[in-house]
Amino acid sequence: MVYIEIAGYIAATLTTMSFVPQALQVIKTKDTHSISLAMYIIFVSGVFLWLVYGLLITNLPMILANVVTLFFAGVILYYKMGERKRNRNVTNKGQL
């Protein structure tokens, strides 16, 4: 049982930390042009549901991984939605 928990924590750490470089890059450059909005909306929704599932079954590795992943993916989604809004405002100003 201990090995299963260790494997869970390692897997959770690796998959969660894979979002750190992307989130830092987005925060630094504010560039999300090449990121799919639909993919991030679906992904963040899925991560949220995995978090709920982890809470319901009280699985700590799943809970921790999804809290952190939800944060980083949410940051990326936040910037992506902000970029989309800025682009829409620029387009609308050009049409006036």
Side-chain angles (χ1 to χ4, degrees):
M1 188 65 160
V2 172
Y3 294 113
I4 293 171
E5 289 289 317
I6 292 171
Y9 281 107
I10 292 171
T13 300
L14 293 174
T15 56
T16 298
M17 297 311 294
S18 70
F19 280 88
V20 173
Q22 183 69 59
L24 292 176
Q25 182 71 15
V26 167
I27 291 167
K28 179 180 172 183
T29 65
K30 310 279 191 279
D31 178 25
T32 60
H33 179 72
S34 62
I35 295 173
S36 167
L37 177 61
M39 179 269 182
Y40 264 88
I41 289 171
I42 293 166
F43 182 75
V44 167
S45 299
V47 171
F48 174 75
L49 292 173
W50 276 116
L51 174 59
V52 170
Y53 178 73
L55 290 167
L56 291 172
I57 66 169
T58 60
N59 182 289
L60 192 58
M62 186 177 289
I63 293 167
L64 293 175
N66 286 294
V67 164
V68 176
T69 302
L70 188 59
F71 172 77
F72 285 116
V75 166
I76 294 168
L77 181 59
Y78 172 80
Y79 277 97
K80 180 63 179 178
M81 292 181 85
E83 179 184 69
R84 184 176 179 198
K85 183 178 178 182
R86 283 188 303 279
N87 289 342
R88 189 175 30 216
N89 288 340
V90 168
T91 302
N92 290 341
K93 286 180 182 178
Q95 295 175 352
L96 296 176

